[in-house]
Amino acid sequence: MVNFPKELKTYCKFCKNHQKWKVSQYKKGKDSLYAQGKRRYDRKQSGFGGQTKPVFHKKAKVTKKITLKMKCEKCSTIKMKNLGRCKHFELGAEKKKKGPTIHGR
């Protein structure tokens, strides 16, 4: 499980020094209806003949790659940071405390 802080202090290349950054998880935007591939696909699908392009079924991956969107609090510049694959991701959750272990019978 990956736990990442909501706020972080790191270098900003526009401010030229360390600043506070707000961290959020990157989400994909809504697909455009007017992108060339979508227009071509819709044109091919129209009319009779059923499904014209292959539909992908052989899903092999269990996880998705986590990408963070970081925004500088001073100059509002945005940068992305790739964290890679993980099954569980939390943003700003409390850290697990290491307490004394109790060994009993």
Side-chain angles (χ1 to χ4, degrees):
M1 176 159 30
V2 179
N3 185 10
F4 209 87
K6 280 187 180 176
E7 207 170 67
L8 168 83
K9 201 169 183 186
T10 187
Y11 185 76
C12 177
K13 63 182 176 183
F14 296 98
C15 299
K16 304 251 193 296
N17 56 9
H18 277 67
Q19 297 293 343
K20 279 189 176 179
W21 293 73
K22 280 201 166 172
V23 181
S24 58
Q25 193 172 351
Y26 166 78
K27 294 263 194 313
K28 186 167 101 65
K30 188 179 174 187
D31 287 335
S32 171
L33 293 171
Y34 306 109
Q36 180 60 62
K38 176 71 172 143
R39 289 184 311 210
R40 186 184 294 120
Y41 179 75
D42 289 343
R43 180 88 178 130
K44 195 171 184 181
Q45 283 292 96
S46 66
F48 299 110
Q51 181 69 32
T52 58
K53 302 276 275 176
V55 179
F56 185 71
H57 292 299
K58 294 182 179 178
K59 187 172 179 281
K61 300 282 187 283
V62 181
T63 58
K64 292 210 182 230
K65 287 184 179 177
I66 302 294
T67 304
L68 299 178
K69 189 168 76 171
M70 299 165 67
K71 185 176 181 180
C72 177
E73 289 190 350
K74 192 171 183 186
C75 66
S76 296
T77 190
I78 293 173
K79 67 179 178 181
M80 304 291 204
K81 181 181 175 69
N82 184 26
L83 279 189
R85 297 185 181 278
C86 64
K87 286 201 174 185
H88 300 286
F89 176 73
E90 288 180 355
L91 199 59
E94 286 185 31
K95 290 183 179 177
K96 287 184 180 176
K97 292 178 182 165
K98 291 183 181 176
T101 54
I102 302 165
H103 297 287
R105 290 185 185 184

